[in-house]
């Protein structure tokens, strides 16, 4: 999906076009599911994803209206943050309900063990932040390939999203890797 297409899709969703909302779900379901899976127990992923869609659509698509940009990678980051925050909120809700219902301590600990600890999450976030800072040194054409790969998209899906042949995506991916490698090598030397 090109940058101008993301803005067009969002604007169509804001106008309440059902086909646009279906297209939105088709394009971003995997991202939302993946983000939710990091923060809620596996049995709650499907419900949490539905909650994310509800929150995106409520109040006349308030959360979508808040995104003012037109960059596809920027929207991916924005949507990922929304899914993460809703998932974390859902996890806190689940814990409160379980506590009130008197679930055993062992079961509660098992649920907590399924998720990453705060320290792991912090270090992972810090590494991602540093990597995204390094990505700023890569031109946008190559950067969007890297970001989509980091979000779990396959090359074939990226070709479809960017509306370019798969060979072009593979070539850009190789060039992007080389550019990142040079940035990292330069950093190691200093």
């Amino acid at each position: 999906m090109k940058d101008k297409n993301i803005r067009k899709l969002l604007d169509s969703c804001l106008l309440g076009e059902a086909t646009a909302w279906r297209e939105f779900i088709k394009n971003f379901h995997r991202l939302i599911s993946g983000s939710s899976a990091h923060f809620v127990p596996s049995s709650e992923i499907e419900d949490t994803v539905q909650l994310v869609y509800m929150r995106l659509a409520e109040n006349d698509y308030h959360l979508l209206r808040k995104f003012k940009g037109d960059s596809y990678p920027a929207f991916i980051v924005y949507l990922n943050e929304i899914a993460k925050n809703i998932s974390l909120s859902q996890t806190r809700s689940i814990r409160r309900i379980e506590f009130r219902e008197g679930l055993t301590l062992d079961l509660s600990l098992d649920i907590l063990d399924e998720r990453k600890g705060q320290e792991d999450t912090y270090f992972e976030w810090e590494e991602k932040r540093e990597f995204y800072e390094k990505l700023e040194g890569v031109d946008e054409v190559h950067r969007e390939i890297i970001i989509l790969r980091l979000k779990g998209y396959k090359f074939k899906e990226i070709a479809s999203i960017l509306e370019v042949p798969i060979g072009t995506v593979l070539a850009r991916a190789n060039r992007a890797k080389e550019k990142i490698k040079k940035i990292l090598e330069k950093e190691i030397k200093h």
Side-chain angles (χ1 to χ4, degrees), residues 17-33:
E17 295 177 14
T19 55
W21 185 242
R22 281 193 294 276
E23 182 71 17
F24 180 91
I25 291 170
K26 182 180 136 196
N27 282 304
F28 299 110
H29 183 75
R30 189 167 167 199
L31 169 73
I32 293 169
S33 297

Side-chain angles (χ1 to χ4, degrees), residues 50-62:
Q50 292 306 314
L51 183 60
V52 171
Y53 289 134
M54 285 175 39
R55 294 276 168 78
L56 287 169
E58 73 185 3
N59 295 327
D60 197 28
Y61 299 97
H62 173 73

Side-chain angles (χ1 to χ4, degrees), residues 77 122 124-139 143 146-147 150 179-180 183-184 187:
V77 171
Y122 172 77
E124 184 178 299
W125 177 84
E126 190 63 29
E127 285 175 356
K128 282 182 182 177
R129 186 187 61 74
E130 287 176 13
F131 184 76
Y132 279 103
E133 282 178 5
K134 288 175 182 58
L135 271 182
E136 292 300 318
V138 176
D139 58 285
R143 185 172 49 233
I146 294 171
I147 289 172
L150 289 172
K179 290 179 181 206
I180 290 291
I183 290 171
L184 294 174
E187 187 176 285

Side-chain angles (χ1 to χ4, degrees), residues 30 146-155 157-158:
R30 189 167 167 199
I146 294 171
I147 289 172
L148 291 170
R149 285 292 290 164
L150 289 172
K151 296 298 177 188
Y153 288 96
K154 294 181 171 95
F155 288 117
E157 294 170 316
I158 293 171

